[in-house]
Amino acid sequence: MSATEFRDLSGMAEFRAAVALQVAVWGEGDTPDPAELMMVIQAEGGLAAGAFVGDRLIAYVFGSPSATPCVQHSHRLAVLSEARGRGLGVALKWYQRRWCLTRGIRHVRWTFDPMRTVNAALNIARLGGRSASYLVDYFGVMGGINEGLPSDRLLVDWFLDDPVVVAKSESRFVAEEAKDSLRIRLHDDVETLIRDDRKKALQARLALRDGLRDAFAGGYEISGYDRLERAYILTSKGANDEDRSHCRASETPADSKR
C-alpha cells in the first residue's frame, strides 16, 4: 500500500473530495460543509487538511478562526470507514496541533457526541482534551447517523501546550486520575443501541446528560477516559488549574493566510 501523506487541501477538486467524504461518513441526511466555504475559510486563516494515499483523500480535518485570539474552532474530523483502524484520525489531530502552534494558536475547541465511545477515546484519552460544558440539543434536528436523537454535544478544550497534551503527542504515559475523581460510564455498545433501539438510546442519552451536567455543576470536568471501562474520568477543576491563557503576552499570532 502507498504511504499516507498528511497535508493541507489544495484546489477545488480536493475540496469537492472533502464534501464527498463527509457524505460517505455522516450519511445522505447530513449537510456537508460546501467546498467553496472550506476554500474561503482556508484562505482566511483556517485549516483544511487531509490524509492522502496517492491523490485520494481518505480522511480530513477542518477548522476555522474563532472570535477569541489564538483559539481555533475545529469543525470536522472524518475518516472513511475503509481506512479506520490505522490511526488516521489521531494523526490528523497531531497535524492540526503542529499547524496551530506554528501560527501562535494554543487552544482548539470542538464538539463531539458524548455517547459515542470512539469519540471519547480519541478526543479525551488519546489527545488529552478536557470538557466542562454540556450543550443540550446543540444542532437541533439532524439527519444521517445522528437522526432520531437530541444532538447533545460536549464542548472540548484542547490546550496545545498543556503538559498532558505534550506528553501524549510524544507517546509518553501520563497519570490522569486524582483521588477525588468521579467516573461516568457509557453504554457498552452504543452504536448498536442507536441503530436498533432508539427508545433505549434516548434513555441512555438523557441519563448521560443528567450525570455529566450534575458533575459539571458540582465543579468537576472531564479530564480522562478509561477505554477498558468505557468511562469518563472527572476531576475537580481546581485540581487541574494551570496557565491556560490563549496567547502569551510576548507573542503575536503569525499570519496564517496562504
Side-chain angles (χ1 to χ4, degrees), residues 28-143:
E28 292 289 344
D30 187 78
T31 303
D33 299 316
E36 294 82 0
L37 176 66
M38 289 185 284
M39 182 270 289
V40 169
I41 287 179
Q42 184 195 66
E44 291 297 328
L47 168 67
F52 292 83
V53 174
D55 294 330
R56 185 174 181 235
L57 180 69
I58 59 174
Y60 100 116
V61 62
F62 176 45
S64 66
S66 76
T68 307
C70 303
V71 178
Q72 183 184 82
H73 168 69
S74 187
H75 185 57
R76 295 264 191 176
L77 175 71
V79 181
L80 289 176
S81 59
E82 66 201 66
R84 290 172 192 165
R86 293 163 48 186
L88 296 177
V90 71
L92 271 177
K93 295 301 287 187
W94 293 131
Y95 178 94
Q96 180 180 24
R97 178 177 181 267
R98 294 189 298 272
W99 190 98
C100 286
L101 288 174
T102 62
R103 291 160 173 80
I105 300 168
R106 300 184 176 277
H107 182 181
V108 180
R109 291 191 293 245
W110 66 87
T111 62
F112 76 91
D113 186 339
M115 283 182 67
R116 297 181 185 273
T117 55
V118 65
N119 292 346
L122 171 64
N123 297 320
I124 308 300
R126 300 195 69 178
L127 296 175
R130 300 176 183 272
S131 179
S133 182
Y134 194 98
L135 307 172
V136 175
D137 202 21
Y138 187 54
F139 295 108
V141 176
M142 299 184 72

Side-chain angles (χ1 to χ4, degrees), residues 190-199:
V190 69
E191 305 296 338
T192 299
L193 186 67
I194 290 172
R195 185 183 68 239
D196 296 344
D197 195 331
R198 290 298 172 110
K199 183 177 180 179

Side-chain angles (χ1 to χ4, degrees), residues 157-168:
D157 291 296
W158 198 29
F159 300 102
L160 303 185
D161 48 9
D162 183 306
V164 170
V165 175
V166 173
K168 288 179 179 290

